[in-house]
Amino acid sequence: MAATTSRALELLSLLQSHRHWSARELVDRLGVSDRTLRRDVERLRELGYGIESARGSAGGYRLEAGTGMPPLLLTDDEGVAIAVGLRSQATAGLRGAEHTTLSALAKIEQVLPPALRRRIDALQSHATVGAGGRGASGRPVPEIDAELLGLLALGCRDSERLRFRYTDAAGEESSRVVEPYRLVPVARRWYLLAWDRERDDWRTFRLDRVREVFPTRVHFEPRPLTDDAARDRVEAALRWRERSVKATVIVDLPHPEFADYLGWYGRDVTAHGATQSVWPLEADSVENLLMGLMWMPRGVRYRVEGPPEVLEFLAVQAERFAAATRSE
């Protein structure tokens, strides 16, 4: 019976992880016969799972939407992600659904193993909340391993020194020993703010460049640091490291409309009278500054103010663009 139950749960996990499975794929994955597979499918149907089946060469099985929600099988990382999201929503307040949010959170947390609960506690208390909004850039964002995020959050929460390998923007690799303080999301990337013991100063580490994290089990006395102060330090470090060219864009759109259009990237937009907005732009080169202007809404007039080399570059590029559209 135990083997049968375990096999049925494994089948359910497979059905939940993929939209459609052929019968042959499931038989091979589970190591059972066609007849046993059909019996396991029937057991899941008796438990309330709607499972569609199709015959023929393209036949197989898939979960279908039902009238109710049967139990779900979640991986550890999925459970952590859902619990953290529910905790954040409960503290932020979901208007009209406060009871539902707390009820769902209670049901998940009462069955979480202690190790997962520790990861969730650490993530919730030592990851600052970033600014939301729509992204205006289509550039891919590096994925962060959930286990790495949880491990670093535990180091922040427990004030435990960490050792890891780090690759900087120039591609140089080094070994670091740090006192971790906060995980801070900026522009859809995660950063660790930590006190670097060898450099005797604050340092900001991009998480997709961190690897081989080793908890030392050596604890430290944390310096007083608020979430706002941590975010300010990270943003200041990023500006110092990555920005070198600046310009100001005066846009013929009211502040609320233009800021809403840019989403997160319009967080620094200010009003310029009732009908215009001011957008400060920063980039690591004049070429990338020009790319920022490509996100201006069509049909809206604007002018750029900045250093002579920036204005000259824009004028030259404007002429090149115009020449590229002329017929010979």
Side-chain angles (χ1 to χ4, degrees):
M1 179 62 71
T4 300
T5 302
S6 176
R7 191 178 61 245
L9 289 174
E10 185 178 358
L11 171 60
L12 177 59
S13 179
L14 291 172
L15 292 173
Q16 289 179 341
S17 66
H18 201 287
R19 181 171 177 81
H20 175 85
W21 289 92
S22 70
R24 177 50 51 195
E25 288 175 322
L26 290 175
V27 165
D28 292 341
R29 283 292 194 103
L30 298 171
V32 297
S33 65
D34 291 339
R35 182 178 180 183
T36 299
L37 174 62
R38 289 193 295 271
R39 287 179 177 176
D40 288 343
V41 168
E42 287 304 317
R43 289 189 181 95
L44 292 178
R45 285 171 174 164
E46 291 172 1
L47 292 173
Y49 294 94
I51 301 177
E52 289 185 353
S53 58
R55 298 180 181 276
S57 58
Y61 298 94
R62 74 178 184 92
L63 281 177
E64 62 180 357
T67 57
M69 180 178 288
L72 298 175
L73 289 180
L74 301 174
T75 65
D76 287 356
D77 288 344
E78 289 169 342
V80 168
I82 291 174
V84 168
L86 287 172
R87 283 192 183 186
S88 299
Q89 189 58 69
T91 55
L94 180 62
R95 184 177 301 174
E98 294 89 347
H99 175 74
T100 304
T101 301
L102 293 174
S103 174
L105 178 60
K107 289 179 180 179
I108 288 179
E109 294 208 344
Q110 71 179 350
V111 298
L112 285 175
L116 291 189
R117 191 174 288 109
R118 289 182 67 242
R119 281 175 56 185
I120 294 167
D121 289 341
L123 279 171
Q124 188 70 19
S125 60
H126 286 81
T128 65
V129 179
R134 294 169 295 176
S137 172
R139 290 177 297 179
V141 177
E143 295 182 353
I144 303 299
D145 181 70
E147 186 172 349
L148 170 65
L149 200 61
L151 188 59
L152 294 175
L154 286 174
C156 294
R157 191 199 67 174
D158 298 338
S159 298
E160 180 180 2
R161 290 179 191 169
L162 300 176
R163 183 184 296 117
F164 55 76
R165 304 290 297 176
Y166 187 70
T167 305
D168 63 19
E172 296 293 329
E173 186 176 288
S174 59
S175 178
R176 305 295 185 98
V177 178
V178 303
E179 297 175 355
Y181 275 78
R182 285 290 187 278
L183 293 168
V184 181
V186 177
R188 299 189 177 185
R189 296 185 191 273
W190 279 99
Y191 296 87
L192 170 69
L193 177 66
W195 183 266
D196 192 312
R197 290 184 55 80
E198 293 184 5
R199 292 154 180 81
D200 197 31
D201 199 0
W202 292 103
R203 287 293 186 268
T204 298
F205 302 95
R206 219 173 82 178
L207 261 60
D208 58 296
R209 296 173 177 167
V210 174
R211 62 185 183 87
E212 298 179 19
V213 179
F214 177 75
T216 65
R217 298 188 180 182
V218 176
H219 297 273
F220 60 90
E221 185 66 28
R223 296 168 174 80
L225 189 72
T226 65
D227 284 348
D228 288 342
R231 172 167 287 277
D232 289 344
R233 283 189 175 276
V234 170
E235 291 183 342
L238 296 180
R239 285 194 296 270
W240 179 86
R241 181 187 308 160
E242 300 176 358
R243 309 300 190 202
S244 59
V245 181
K246 298 182 180 180
T248 301
V249 187
I250 314 299
V251 187
D252 287 346
L253 272 181
H255 171 258
E257 184 177 350
F258 186 56
D260 181 66
Y261 173 83
L262 291 177
W264 187 90
Y265 291 91
R267 64 196 184 283
D268 295 327
V269 171
T270 58
H272 187 64
T275 61
Q276 290 184 315
S277 301
V278 176
W279 184 25
L281 277 181
E282 297 180 48
D284 57 358
S285 66
V286 289
E287 290 83 2
N288 286 336
L289 194 73
L290 175 62
M291 293 301 296
L293 293 175
M294 296 302 179
W295 293 104
M296 296 296 296
R298 292 185 179 182
V300 175
R301 293 176 58 87
Y302 64 93
R303 74 176 187 274
V304 179
E305 298 178 352
E309 62 268 23
V310 171
L311 300 182
E312 181 181 356
F313 178 82
L314 295 180
V316 170
Q317 294 304 311
E319 176 59 30
R320 292 185 65 191
F321 288 153
T325 63
R326 301 187 192 114
S327 57
E328 294 294 340

